[in-house]
Amino acid sequence: MDLLSIQLAGDELLAQRLGDGRTLGAALDQLDSERSDLFAELLAHQDEWPLGWLQLPEGGAWVADCLAAAGELGQQCAELIVCGIGGSALGAQAVYAALDWPVASLKPLWVLDNVDPSHLAWLLESADLEQAALNVISKSGGTLETMAGFCFLLDLLEQRLAEPQQVDRRIIATTDARRGLLHKWARERGWRILPVPDDVGGRFSVLSPVGLLPLAFAGVDVGELLRGARELQELALSLRQRDNPAWQLAAIHYLLHVQGGITETVHYVYGDPLGQLGDWFRQLWAESLGKAQKLDGAPAGAALTPLIARGATDQHSLNQLFMEGPANKLYGFISCEEWPVDPQIVLPEDQEDGGLGYLSQRGFGELLAASRRGTRDALIEAGRPVYEINLPRLAAANVGAYLQLWMLATAYAGLLYVVNAFNQPGVERSKIIAKKYLAGM
């Protein structure tokens, strides 16, 4: 397909032996036969699970609302600061990082996603607050880290702008459409509200107002982002299940985990613009699949741990472990085939015929690709399971397709593990304890 190049059917991968002696290829065929319509199984849960993310690529009036809000903010402000954490921040960060090429081609988009004082100090040094708008994202309005950062920035903005109305016009609250602390506060202050859809969970929300408002402000073509996601989903669902790349990703991960001794899934990302897509995937996979109970209440407590490696840098820190350490990892090589900038290597004349001659006139993109292929082939030679996903280019449609591919794959994986991929009960306990510590200080 034009949007993504996906290699999931290599002979070496399909020949991987599982614990019962079958090849991975044979096990995929049997799984496809035993559960022949996993997407229908997913839709059977639509009354109990938030599956609205499946419709987001189709767009709607809310897209126009995001574009209008972004346009109004852009007339007043040159920069946008997002206050959000987890699913309220990672998606927009990932898309922005992938598409802000050449460097600074988009408007400045800053994200306050931590309560680390040094991170806050860096933000204040980097952003021009007097030229900035604020987008606070919290469905409930009670997210500790988000609201702490927002309140701090709101106070600074009120100190620097003379009129309260100037401040209020610069704030957009992305929150619940009807209720919650932030919704109530926004109504009282007259801040513009963009609703978080009821049927879309945070880590699946990048194509909702959660991600589209900041990206539209920055100058990303959100229509193309949605088009890529829509075309990927339409193609995936038009294929027979065995050929559906989202199903293949889920099934490969599941079978290698439960029957092949694989406990970790590594995204080996070659190309720094794609690095934050790895961070986004890490939350999506871990928070969706790391569950204590199956749907019937039986113990689960097992899921592949997602890890991120940076190519080519981590060839010199992790490859020794990957090559000769535990054979418990599945490796996904993520890259781009065409970089927007690719300077050439120029050797001094006295080195043209020396030991570095093979570098002469090579582009750095060629060097990165050769490093990726070398690491991939070495891992295959060592018997490690490997697949590849390449974006033909760094464009909004390609990134949108990548996002929707992994959201579909994660939903499929949840069904294979027989868990609810759309809740996060384990996250709440630490929040409760943290608030007790703060109350007692």
Side-chain angles (χ1 to χ4, degrees):
M1 61 183 301
D2 293 337
L3 292 168
L4 297 174
S5 174
I6 306 170
Q7 303 296 326
L8 297 171
D11 292 341
E12 297 87 353
L13 178 61
L14 297 181
Q16 290 280 323
R17 290 286 173 181
L18 303 182
D20 59 4
R22 291 179 302 163
T23 65
L24 176 60
L28 287 168
D29 291 339
Q30 183 174 342
L31 183 61
D32 177 44
S33 175
E34 292 173 347
R35 300 180 69 177
S36 59
D37 196 344
L38 214 57
F39 189 71
E41 291 186 35
L42 181 65
L43 293 183
H45 291 278
Q46 60 187 345
D47 291 336
E48 54 190 300
W49 291 349
L51 300 182
W53 55 275
L54 290 166
Q55 282 75 51
L56 290 177
E58 299 295 331
W62 54 272
V63 178
D65 291 342
C66 289
L67 291 171
E72 291 174 13
L73 283 184
Q75 293 175 3
Q76 307 172 59
C77 303
E79 305 183 7
L80 179 65
I81 302 174
V82 172
C83 299
I85 196 168
S88 296
L90 286 168
Q93 285 176 293
V95 176
Y96 182 85
L99 299 179
D100 192 26
W101 294 89
V103 175
S105 62
L106 300 174
K107 290 182 182 178
L109 177 64
W110 311 99
V111 178
L112 181 57
D113 64 347
N114 202 350
V115 289
D116 174 8
S118 60
H119 178 67
L120 187 59
W122 167 83
L123 175 66
L124 294 178
E125 287 290 327
S126 303
D128 183 353
L129 194 60
E130 294 183 3
Q131 295 296 319
L134 300 181
N135 178 207
V136 54
I137 306 174
S138 173
K139 192 165 188 176
S140 67
T143 310
L144 183 154
E145 300 89 348
T146 297
M147 299 312 294
F150 172 66
C151 289
F152 179 82
L153 293 175
L154 176 62
D155 179 63
L156 288 182
L157 200 60
E158 290 176 334
Q159 292 179 37
R160 298 187 186 190
L161 298 181
E163 299 179 11
Q165 288 185 339
Q166 285 184 290
V167 176
D168 293 337
R169 286 196 297 267
R170 291 191 184 194
I171 296 173
I172 291 184
T174 308
T175 187
D176 190 280
R178 296 177 298 277
R179 64 183 72 86
L181 175 63
L182 181 55
H183 177 90
K184 181 175 181 292
W185 192 7
R187 290 289 297 272
E188 291 171 350
R189 290 286 297 264
W191 301 334
R192 187 166 189 157
I193 296 173
L194 289 176
V196 178
D198 289 337
D199 57 353
V200 177
R203 57 188 175 274
F204 290 84
S205 68
V206 59
L207 300 179
S208 78
V210 170
L212 290 199
L213 180 275
L215 293 171
F217 175 90
V220 171
D221 188 337
V222 297
E224 280 293 283
L225 189 72
L226 293 171
R227 179 182 70 81
R230 182 172 64 253
E231 291 186 6
L232 181 284
Q233 182 165 288
E234 288 174 352
L235 175 63
L237 298 181
S238 71
L239 298 170
R240 69 186 185 105
Q241 179 173 271
R242 183 65 178 80
D243 297 328
N244 177 340
W247 180 89
Q248 289 177 334
L249 278 169
I252 288 168
H253 279 77
Y254 171 73
L255 289 170
L256 287 175
H257 180 208
V258 299
Q259 298 184 39
I262 299 299
T263 61
E264 298 171 350
T265 177
V266 178
H267 274 203
Y268 218 142
V269 182
Y270 277 76
D272 285 352
L274 304 176
Q276 292 195 49
L277 286 171
D279 295 337
W280 171 82
F281 162 77
R282 183 170 52 191
Q283 187 216 6
L284 177 71
W285 191 264
E287 205 167 75
S288 297
L289 303 177
K291 302 296 165 62
Q293 291 185 332
K294 296 186 177 183
L295 294 177
D296 63 2
L304 283 165
T305 299
L307 303 174
I308 311 301
R310 181 190 183 211
T313 302
D314 283 336
Q315 292 176 199
H316 300 273
S317 62
L318 291 172
N319 269 19
Q320 176 62 39
L321 173 68
F322 292 167
M323 288 291 296
E324 298 184 6
N328 68 336
K329 298 173 181 63
L330 169 62
Y331 300 90
F333 282 80
I334 315 299
S335 190
C336 182
E337 296 173 7
E338 180 183 316
W339 299 105
V341 289
D342 188 11
Q344 287 191 328
I345 301 164
V346 179
L347 295 180
E349 290 185 8
D350 60 356
Q351 292 297 318
E352 286 284 349
D353 298 324
L356 296 176
Y358 66 93
L359 292 176
S360 181
Q361 302 303 308
R362 295 287 191 182
F364 276 86
E366 292 181 85
L367 181 57
L368 187 67
S371 298
R372 171 174 54 84
R373 292 168 183 152
T375 300
R376 175 200 65 193
D377 292 353
L379 286 168
I380 291 173
E381 288 177 1
R384 302 325 198 208
V386 168
Y387 67 90
E388 292 186 84
I389 303 175
N390 291 324
L391 284 70
R393 64 197 66 83
L394 288 180
N398 306 92
V399 174
Y402 185 86
L403 297 169
Q404 200 71 9
L405 173 69
W406 277 110
M407 286 189 278
L408 282 168
T410 302
Y412 283 141
L415 292 167
L416 293 174
Y417 282 107
V418 198
V419 298
N420 181 351
F422 304 99
N423 64 0
Q424 52 280 337
V427 175
E428 301 304 319
R429 182 60 182 158
S430 65
K431 296 179 182 178
I432 293 170
I433 296 173
K435 288 179 180 178
K436 287 182 178 179
Y437 275 116
L438 290 169
M441 288 181 178

